[in-house]
Amino acid sequence: MDLVNFTQELFGPGVAGFMELVTDLGGPIGWLVLLHLIFIFAGIEKGLQLTIVGALALITNTWLKVLLAQPRPFWIASDIEALRTTGGFGMPSGHAQGAVAFWGYLSHLTYPKAWYVAMGFAVFAVLTGLTRIYLGVHSAAQVLVGLTLGLVCLLAVIKLWPMAVARISSWSLQKQSIVLAGVTGALIVIDQLVIWIHSSFVVDPTWLNNAQATADRLGTGESFKSQEDLSLASGSSSGLVLMITGYLAIGICNQRWTVTLQGWVDRLLSVIVMLLFTALFLWLASSIAEQIDHLAVTGLFALAYPICCVYGAMLTIQKLRN
């Protein structure tokens, strides 16, 4: 834990804004933007590959956090002044694991043609992990394990991808759809089993007190008064599984209605249409959510979003240009 204070003293308070920016860009916000851009600019196969890398990293991270139930540094050490507060268990660091998976994949794509760019992405992934220590939300061990697992996920997918593509390509679209639905269902069952295994775990009251003290000091307005406020922030990954299924379903759709964007103009237009579709989709989702507050509806929208907004935008531009 001393490494958190050491890192804060080493870099000083002047870089706090920069560290927060890196942690946001290197985290979920950056991952989602990157995934969409890969689909549009690098092609659907590359987008599917990154989806698998990200899925492997993020789903295993969620399950490990729940099963290990390890506290964050500022929950157990009152002398650590975290610069950001968050719920969810700490081992392994999700930002670190995801950053290596997503930004490491971009490094893989650009190496060796632009090795200096590849190195930049690799450094950015590691820097994202460092920001988590500086901000006091993860210990060095949690970040190191996250970086290592992210690298394992990345290398595993890169190594096995050609064999997997060859096997899946030989299947009919019907079989691909059935297998995808089956894997999705299995992951959701495992996810709920993990939550059930964790259900008997009791959070140390000290963790709640320290987390609440940090939230009060930072003036975030967050409440950490119950076990659910901490532990269930790690929560179920079923929604994530459904969204990932939506991205993977793009591969099946593309075999029936193949998209081939021509040049940068088509790709830039696809980004614009994607943003418009996303705004409309979110408006529709929020409107329905006001009328029907049900997890199944949320899951359905998570599943439909990639197909409607990402693939739909690409298909729209191709049809208009043709």
Side-chain angles (χ1 to χ4, degrees):
M1 299 306 176
D2 290 340
L3 190 58
V4 173
N5 291 328
F6 173 78
T7 304
Q8 290 178 347
E9 293 174 3
L10 177 65
F11 291 100
V15 300
F18 171 75
M19 292 292 194
E20 294 224 40
L21 176 63
V22 172
T23 211
D24 288 335
L25 292 178
I29 296 174
W31 304 339
L32 195 59
V33 171
L34 175 61
L35 181 59
H36 291 171
L37 294 180
I38 290 295
F39 266 104
I40 292 174
F41 286 94
I44 287 177
E45 183 175 348
K46 294 292 192 298
L48 294 173
Q49 190 174 18
L50 179 55
T51 299
I52 294 294
V53 173
L56 190 58
L58 299 182
I59 293 174
T60 57
N61 181 269
T62 301
W63 291 347
L64 285 171
K65 277 186 174 180
V66 174
L67 292 173
L68 296 176
Q70 188 176 108
R72 295 176 183 269
F74 69 95
W75 293 2
I76 57 176
S78 57
D79 62 321
I80 290 180
E81 293 195 356
L83 304 181
R84 176 177 285 196
T85 183
T86 182
F89 296 113
M91 175 64 87
S93 166
H95 274 69
Q97 189 169 344
V100 172
F102 281 89
W103 297 102
Y105 179 78
L106 204 55
S107 179
H108 163 69
L109 283 186
T110 52
Y111 184 85
K113 179 182 289 187
W115 64 267
Y116 44 91
V117 176
M119 290 300 296
F121 287 128
V123 169
F124 182 69
V126 176
L127 182 59
T128 300
L130 178 62
T131 65
R132 307 305 286 171
I133 299 174
Y134 177 86
L135 294 172
V137 294
H138 282 294
S139 67
Q142 292 168 354
V143 168
L144 182 60
V145 172
L147 292 173
T148 303
L149 290 176
L151 183 60
V152 170
C153 293
L154 175 62
L155 295 178
V157 173
I158 291 173
K159 179 70 174 177
L160 298 175
W161 183 258
M163 180 177 64
V165 169
R167 172 65 64 87
I168 295 172
S169 297
S170 66
W171 297 345
S172 66
L173 295 185
Q174 181 181 18
K175 182 175 180 179
Q176 291 179 24
S177 301
I178 292 173
V179 170
L180 180 59
V183 171
T184 299
L187 290 175
I188 291 176
V189 169
I190 294 172
D191 181 65
Q192 295 306 308
L193 178 61
V194 169
I195 296 298
W196 176 77
I197 292 173
H198 170 77
S199 61
S200 60
F201 180 81
V202 178
V203 167
D204 188 326
T206 303
W207 300 1
L208 288 169
N209 294 334
N210 288 337
Q212 188 61 59
T214 300
D216 293 340
R217 175 174 55 81
L218 295 175
T220 63
E222 293 177 273
S223 175
F224 295 103
K225 297 181 179 178
S226 68
Q227 172 161 322
E228 288 73 17
D229 294 332
L230 286 185
S231 62
L232 292 187
S234 291
S236 170
S237 64
S238 295
L240 173 63
V241 170
L242 289 172
M243 179 172 282
I244 289 168
T245 298
Y247 283 106
L248 293 177
I250 291 177
I252 297 175
C253 293
N254 193 55
Q255 294 176 64
R256 189 177 293 276
W257 305 285
T258 303
V259 172
T260 304
L261 297 177
Q262 302 296 329
W264 286 88
V265 173
D266 283 6
R267 289 173 171 82
L268 290 174
L269 288 174
S270 294
V271 171
I272 295 173
V273 173
M274 181 188 69
L275 293 174
L276 293 175
F277 281 5
T278 298
L280 178 62
F281 192 88
L282 292 176
W283 172 80
L284 180 63
S286 62
S287 299
I288 293 179
E290 292 178 359
Q291 305 297 324
I292 307 174
D293 184 15
H294 197 281
L295 287 176
V297 176
T298 303
L300 181 61
F301 273 101
L303 176 65
Y305 169 76
I307 302 171
C308 295
C309 297
V310 182
Y311 183 69
M314 299 169 68
L315 191 61
T316 298
I317 292 301
Q318 176 172 284
K319 295 297 183 183
L320 291 176
R321 299 285 282 183
N322 292 339

